[in-house]
Amino acid sequence: MNKPLIEKLKEQLSNDTRIENDEKTIEKYLRGTEGLNIFSSKKRTLVAVVKACCDEDVKSIIDLANRYAKDDVLCFSLYPVSTGNNWGYGTSQPASLNNNIILLDLSGLNKILDFDPELGLVTLEPGVTQQQLSEYLIANNYNYMVPVTGAGPECSILANALERGYGITPYTEHFAATTAIQGYWADGTQYQSAVYLLDKSIDKFVDKTFKWGVGPYLEGLFSQSSYGIATRMTIRLAKRKSAFTSFFVQIQEDSLLEQAIPLIREVLQRYEGIVGSINLMDKRRILSMFAQNPNGNGSHSVMQANDVDKISKQLQVPAWTIVGTIYGSKAVVKTVKSEVNAIFKQIPSKRIYSDSAIIRIANMVISSLPASLISIIPTLGRVKEQLSSFNLGEEIMLGKPNKVALKLAYWRNPNADKVEQAVMHPSNDGCGLLWYAPLITMKAATMREYVNFIREICPKHNIEPFITFTNLKHDCVDSTIPIVFDLSNPDAVKDAHNCLKELVNKGLKKGYVPYRLNIDQQQWLLDSQNNFWQTANKLKKTLDPNNILSPQRYNPQ
Ligand SMILES: Cc1cc2nc3c(=O)[nH]c(=O)nc-3n(C[C@H](O)[C@H](O)[C@H](O)COP(=O)(O)OP(=O)(O)OC[C@H]3O[C@@H](n4cnc5c(N)ncnc54)[C@H](O)[C@@H]3O)c2cc1C
């Protein structure tokens, strides 16, 4: 323990800012879903966790880090997290293996500073979670959607945007919806935009309405970087529309993928602004949401083809499922629904709509049946569970956060059965998860080649090939492959990492480039010598001359 440093921090920071350096707290923040320790002899460590109570203390601790940068005893670097739930990409662990790191937990800065109900612009601090924003909007009867993700209610809105995360509500890309940021560069200089500083009005509101500002776009430097700490952000929220339906297009034949892709593109191009992003998921990925792992949760092998066939028949899961949403007035939704239906009818498919009579009736029937009856008839139990997941999935599309998607992280967790959905927390519960999230060109042949690639490589490493494609636009697809493994099994952890390495290295040769990297990849994958990272390094030296902020985060050495 660095006692002199802890004393200095206590002296300089407000009483309400907590400084915790007990083993239990530090162990909690160093717990990730990624199993990163497996290959490295050096373990991550923390001197302490500082839970900041206010913006001023963020500035004070940055100043302290700079002041002591040359002091052998007191020097430290800072690693900020907002809610620290970056599961699969590092969770709350610092990128660097240095041994003088202070983790700055900003979850206590959780004020919703401003909301303009006319325009739907919300300004919030780093600790504001999806759940908090949802409750705020509901309590005030504001008809706007939370930019939800599959990571669920306990995750920060601001940090997810900084990481360039995305969801499935109409403003899919969260950094794209960010209109203003304030904070501090790593050298302690305050950041406010040029528009904000030029504006001489009292509320300086117009800054919040325009993303690009005037002059160089410095706000981008806060995202996927280590140049500054954002202490507030304004995000544009999508308004709830008077009508809505989600569509589920079920395609039985795997070989129809190539025919389905141009249809998805056509829907997105024709109904831009009405149809949100579209997800395309394969059979195994859908089973991970609805089925029990037939091999048992602690297993280290992929599902056999005959098991997949059997369970998918039972649950009526097709080879591919297209999931999308139509938002608009009643008349618009009705028209677009029938046109979308006509488009997908061109291929053999079953098309289900969340506002259809069959879903409404199924919900009514299931909710009217006594629990005792459902518990003794397995088919009813399964239908109830499927309907519940379906309804929760729909809530997400309407901008209401929940934990339904977190189940995926528990596919190979030996204790999965003991965890209730309401309290799921993948890193606390010992889940093993890494992400492979490459951008894939939205062309049928490329996507088929990619599917074959995933189906060949993942099983070689005993990893289930769960495939999702998300259209961020008609011309931009990101695929997310969750590499789910048993974190308590060292062989499984090794396999997971080898799988990710092979996917990344071989994928790059085919043009599959990840949009986001975990803290380990940020070092081995990025070439510090190429012009891009050399330029980024010049910026780092200017904004963080003492290298005190998040060393090695998107900053290859
Ligand atoms: C089952 C499952 C589903 C998921 N689905 C999605 C999904 O749909 N979309 C998606 O995007 N992600 C998804 N994730 C990944 C991830 O969990 C989320 O992106 C999550 O929001 C990130 O965690 P956080 O919000 O707590 O960010 P944090 O962990 O707080 O922050 C992430 C990183 O951003 C930086 N940072 C944080 N705050 C600041 C700040 N104030 N200033 C400067 N830098 C900062 C830090 O380097 C930090 O490590 C999913 C994960 C799981 C397990």
Side-chain angles (χ1 to χ4, degrees):
M1 180 176 80
N2 188 334
K3 226 174 162 186
L5 174 57
I6 302 286
E7 288 310 315
K8 283 281 174 215
L9 291 170
K10 282 187 181 156
E11 266 168 38
Q12 305 286 330
L13 302 174
S14 349
N15 287 340
D16 288 341
T17 284
R18 297 213 310 271
I19 301 162
E20 296 180 9
N21 61 347
D22 58 285
E23 231 171 79
K24 209 170 146 205
T25 303
I26 290 190
E27 187 273 326
K28 186 176 148 236
Y29 281 82
L30 292 177
R31 211 184 287 159
T33 63
E34 300 80 10
L36 293 177
N37 287 337
I38 195 97
F39 294 113
S40 151
S41 51
K42 193 156 189 247
K43 303 271 175 275
R44 284 184 165 74
T45 57
L46 295 175
V47 177
V49 175
V50 170
K51 297 185 175 169
C53 72
C54 55
D55 193 302
E56 293 72 29
D57 274 3
V58 175
K59 163 81 173 139
S60 301
I61 197 163
I62 293 176
D63 288 345
L64 276 181
N66 281 300
R67 191 180 318 149
Y68 298 137
K70 304 279 179 296
D71 186 310
D72 288 342
V73 178
L74 298 175
C75 71
F76 67 96
S77 60
L78 271 178
Y79 194 87
V81 296
S82 288
T83 40
N85 294 330
N86 206 7
W87 298 306
Y89 294 107
T91 310
S92 50
Q93 303 164 97
S96 151
L97 293 169
N98 294 349
N99 48 16
N100 58 346
I101 301 170
I102 294 208
L103 197 126
L104 181 61
D105 179 341
L106 301 169
S107 60
L109 269 70
N110 60 358
K111 287 196 278 301
I112 295 172
L113 299 165
D114 183 43
F115 181 69
D116 188 293
E118 261 181 286
L119 304 178
L121 293 165
V122 66
T123 303
L124 37 73
E125 291 188 317
V128 175
T129 60
Q130 294 181 26
Q131 183 64 23
Q132 193 186 338
L133 181 58
S134 175
E135 284 169 13
Y136 173 84
L137 294 174
I138 292 169
N140 289 290
N141 234 345
Y142 294 143
N143 215 7
Y144 287 91
M145 293 185 215
V146 174
V148 289
T149 67
E154 286 155 29
C155 294
S156 159
I157 304 278
L158 176 148
N160 184 266
L162 287 186
E163 276 282 87
R164 303 191 201 141
Y166 60 81
I168 196 171
T169 51
Y171 298 162
T172 311
E173 291 180 77
H174 300 153
F175 194 70
T178 300
T179 54
I181 292 178
Q182 294 196 7
Y184 301 96
W185 299 120
D187 68 357
T189 310
Q190 187 178 26
Y191 173 77
Q192 289 167 329
S193 77
V195 169
Y196 184 89
L197 294 171
L198 277 169
D199 188 345
K200 300 291 176 254
S201 68
I202 291 168
D203 65 358
K204 291 174 175 283
F205 190 83
V206 82
D207 178 46
K208 295 178 182 175
T209 66
F210 185 55
K211 184 175 177 70
W212 306 111
V214 171
Y217 181 63
L218 297 187
E219 253 142 76
L221 296 179
F222 282 98
S223 126
Q224 289 197 359
S225 73
S226 61
Y227 307 138
I229 300 182
T231 52
R232 58 174 67 188
M233 176 182 273
T234 303
I235 302 198
R236 197 172 265 151
L237 302 183
K239 192 150 193 174
R240 277 176 192 256
K241 303 293 187 292
S242 50
F244 160 90
T245 185
S246 46
F247 54 85
F248 298 79
V249 181
Q250 299 192 319
I251 302 168
Q252 288 303 336
E253 295 300 322
D254 185 74
S255 59
L256 289 173
L257 175 74
E258 282 87 335
Q259 290 179 51
I261 288 161
L263 302 183
I264 295 175
R265 192 169 47 231
E266 189 182 338
V267 167
L268 287 166
Q269 279 179 314
R270 249 203 233 176
Y271 307 107
E272 200 174 347
I274 300 172
V275 170
S277 68
I278 291 186
N279 268 358
L280 171 64
M281 286 176 274
D282 79 340
K283 187 183 276 185
R284 286 175 190 256
R285 179 66 182 86
I286 298 279
L287 290 183
S288 75
M289 293 191 276
F290 294 122
Q292 293 294 327
N293 186 341
N295 299 331
N297 291 104
S299 82
H300 182 40
S301 49
V302 296
M303 285 184 277
Q304 296 296 312
N306 57 341
D307 276 337
V308 174
D309 284 348
K310 199 170 116 201
I311 312 170
S312 50
K313 257 192 206 114
Q314 265 172 13
L315 300 176
Q316 298 187 8
V317 175
W320 291 102
T321 306
I322 299 169
V323 184
T325 40
I326 305 171
Y327 305 90
S329 65
K330 220 171 162 188
V332 166
V333 170
K334 193 170 166 223
T335 307
V336 172
K337 180 176 154 185
S338 91
E339 293 188 14
V340 165
N341 195 51
I343 290 176
F344 286 120
K345 220 174 166 179
Q346 294 174 66
I347 53 172
S349 60
K350 189 168 159 195
R351 296 161 306 283
I352 303 165
Y353 296 88
S354 61
D355 63 350
S356 65
I358 185 152
I359 297 285
R360 280 204 310 270
I361 293 166
N363 268 317
M364 257 158 46
V365 171
I366 287 287
S367 59
S368 63
L369 293 176
S372 54
L373 183 65
I374 292 174
S375 68
I376 54 166
I377 304 178
T379 321
L380 281 182
R382 274 202 299 272
V383 172
K384 185 177 178 210
E385 213 179 300
Q386 263 182 295
L387 266 179
S388 154
S389 299
F390 181 88
N391 295 336
L392 288 168
E394 187 171 41
E395 275 189 359
I396 291 194
M397 294 175 204
L398 283 166
K400 193 161 179 278
N402 63 53
K403 294 195 172 185
V404 69
L406 285 182
K407 189 176 170 209
L408 168 70
Y410 292 74
W411 182 254
R412 286 201 177 160
N413 183 326
N415 299 316
D417 293 343
K418 297 182 200 137
V419 185
E420 292 284 321
Q421 191 171 87
V423 294
M424 278 181 173
H425 188 287
S427 50
N428 286 353
D429 296 336
C431 296
L433 172 75
L434 288 158
W435 291 104
Y436 175 52
L439 298 158
I440 308 295
T441 306
M442 176 66 181
K443 293 197 174 163
T446 313
M447 288 169 75
R448 166 58 75 190
E449 198 191 352
Y450 173 79
V451 167
N452 293 342
F453 169 77
I454 296 297
R455 288 180 178 166
E456 183 204 324
I457 303 223
C458 289
K460 265 191 356 197
H461 299 277
N462 300 311
I463 295 299
E464 200 67 66
F466 293 137
I467 302 177
T468 303
F469 292 108
T470 305
N471 272 91
L472 303 177
K473 277 258 179 258
H474 68 273
D475 55 2
C476 176
V477 187
D478 188 65
S479 169
T480 37
I481 307 297
I483 298 180
V484 187
F485 55 97
D486 175 3
L487 190 62
S488 64
N489 173 353
D491 289 335
V493 181
K494 275 190 199 139
D495 275 353
H497 281 265
N498 288 333
C499 181
L500 181 59
K501 277 213 166 105
E502 187 171 350
L503 288 170
V504 171
N505 287 332
K506 291 202 170 144
L508 288 176
K509 293 189 184 127
K510 292 173 178 287
Y512 316 146
V513 182
Y515 91 103
R516 181 170 169 187
L517 301 172
N518 73 47
I519 52 177
D520 184 37
Q521 294 173 309
Q522 290 166 21
Q523 284 310 301
W524 66 259
L525 185 62
L526 306 177
D527 176 2
S528 62
Q529 296 309 308
N530 73 27
N531 286 347
F532 181 91
W533 293 107
Q534 288 280 314
T535 309
N537 204 25
K538 282 184 203 158
L539 287 167
K540 175 76 176 164
K541 284 188 175 133
T542 304
L543 294 170
D544 187 6
N546 295 312
N547 195 23
I548 57 105
L549 192 67
S550 305
Q552 297 180 23
R553 173 171 152 82
Y554 287 103
N555 179 30
Q557 309 283 301

